Amino acid sequence: TRTLRLRSDGTVTDTQTLKRPNLGQSAPPRPARTTMAQLHTTRLLFSLLLLALQLAAGFLAVPQPQPSPRSLAIVRGATDWDRLILEDEDEDLVFEYGNRDPPPRDMKYSIYNINRQREHYNSIREVSSKDLSNDVYARDPNTDTYFFVGKIARVSDVTPASAVARQYNLIEEHSARLRPIELYPSWGSIELWLAPGDSELDVAYCKPDIRFIRVDREVDGSIEVPNSSCGFAGELYESNEEGFRTQRTEDGFAAK
């Protein structure tokens, strides 16, 4: 502090006093600093909260359509087999046995049986050669067109005829579902024919040494074959695929 004083003799004195700080008194607290990381985190949480509120508002505002049975099956991870069955149900395909005995329970056309026989087919093929497998063709007995419908595999002590007869219902119904226009009208009398395993290319080129062999619906002893001793991998079409077919004579040789 600076002070000017007038003395009695007419002179002026100039004094200056320095004020010492009170060391016993604490300084007022400073406000805490907000770091950039904290600010960024706060903004991010606020943005996520705002987005969640917007999504919830939009979901509640728009009526949600109820899925059809087909779309529900696909959402739940249904396989191509599921879609094949559902499409056929939409087309009102009815599979009755008439005067015939119904198939064994393990050969009824169901997703469980289909997948099990496909797994058996894959397991047999992994440890055997193509000599223990055959290509399967289905035919309306009133035509000369044979449709490729899948492949079978078997263990060495099971004949090709027994392997087909054991799975006949599964293969025949699959054929009718795969070709509903051409084969479904002949359900119950569809013929199944065997070609050598993996011979599609030779069949396409109509090689004369490739002969199809017809298999009967019932073969002695086939009912005793364990379902694990044979397998069937059915053909499936993708993207409106037309499928493979061939013209053959009544003896199973190439017609052209």
Side-chain angles (χ1 to χ4, degrees):
T1 302
R2 187 176 183 183
T3 305
L4 298 178
R5 292 181 181 180
L6 179 62
R7 300 179 63 180
S8 58
D9 57 0
T11 61
V12 178
T13 60
D14 185 1
T15 60
Q16 191 172 10
T17 305
L18 298 177
K19 185 177 181 180
R20 295 181 180 180
N22 186 357
L23 299 179
Q25 181 179 359
S26 61
R30 296 181 179 180
R33 293 183 178 179
T34 302
T35 65
M36 291 299 296
Q38 291 173 332
L39 182 60
H40 178 72
T41 301
T42 303
R43 289 178 176 175
L44 180 60
L45 292 175
F46 179 77
S47 299
L48 292 176
L49 178 60
L50 181 61
L51 178 60
L53 292 175
Q54 291 174 345
L55 292 176
F59 182 82
L60 295 175
V62 179
Q64 299 300 309
Q66 295 298 322
S68 64
R70 179 183 298 186
S71 64
L72 185 61
I74 294 176
V75 168
R76 290 178 178 175
T79 65
D80 291 335
W81 293 91
D82 296 297
R83 287 192 284 274
L84 180 64
I85 292 177
L86 289 172
E87 288 171 1
D88 293 339
E89 289 176 349
D90 290 345
E91 296 174 1
D92 296 327
L93 300 186
V94 179
F95 296 90
E96 297 178 345
Y97 303 107
N99 296 327
R100 294 186 290 122
D101 292 333
R105 182 178 179 181
D106 62 349
M107 289 301 162
K108 290 183 177 180
Y109 199 84
S110 67
I111 295 300
Y112 179 81
N113 291 339
I114 291 167
N115 288 336
R116 185 197 60 239
Q117 292 310 113
R118 176 178 284 271
E119 291 175 0
H120 291 337
Y121 171 86
N122 291 333
S123 298
I124 295 173
R125 285 302 303 265
E126 286 177 358
V127 297
S128 65
S129 67
K130 68 178 182 179
D131 294 336
L132 292 178
S133 69
N134 291 89
D135 296 346
V136 185
Y137 291 79
R139 172 202 177 200
D140 177 345
N142 297 317
T143 71
D144 64 349
T145 302
Y146 296 68
F147 293 94
F148 174 75
V149 296
K151 296 172 178 285
I152 64 161
R154 57 191 172 81
V155 297
S156 57
D157 59 347
V158 175
T159 65
S162 294
V164 172
R166 180 67 170 90
Q167 305 173 100
Y168 206 102
N169 180 78
L170 204 66
I171 301 173
E172 183 186 23
E173 187 165 338
H174 178 71
S175 303
R177 291 178 182 272
L178 188 67
R179 310 295 312 191
I181 297 177
E182 300 90 350
L183 296 178
Y184 175 72
S186 299
W187 161 251
S189 60
I190 296 175
E191 296 178 356
L192 298 183
W193 295 68
L194 292 182
D198 303 336
S199 62
E200 299 98 316
L201 192 59
D202 292 339
V203 172
Y205 282 111
C206 297
K207 290 191 174 182
D209 57 328
I210 300 297
R211 181 184 182 185
F212 289 8
I213 304 297
R214 182 183 171 185
V215 180
D216 293 331
R217 183 182 298 272
E218 297 180 2
V219 175
D220 291 341
S222 62
I223 193 64
E224 304 298 331
V225 174
N227 61 41
S228 59
S229 296
C230 57
F232 171 65
E235 171 74 330
L236 290 171
Y237 299 154
E238 297 180 357
S239 303
N240 297 321
E241 182 181 357
E242 292 187 2
F244 180 56
R245 70 198 73 185
T246 181
Q247 272 70 44
R248 294 265 151 176
T249 67
E250 291 290 334
D251 296 329
F253 291 103
K256 297 180 181 180

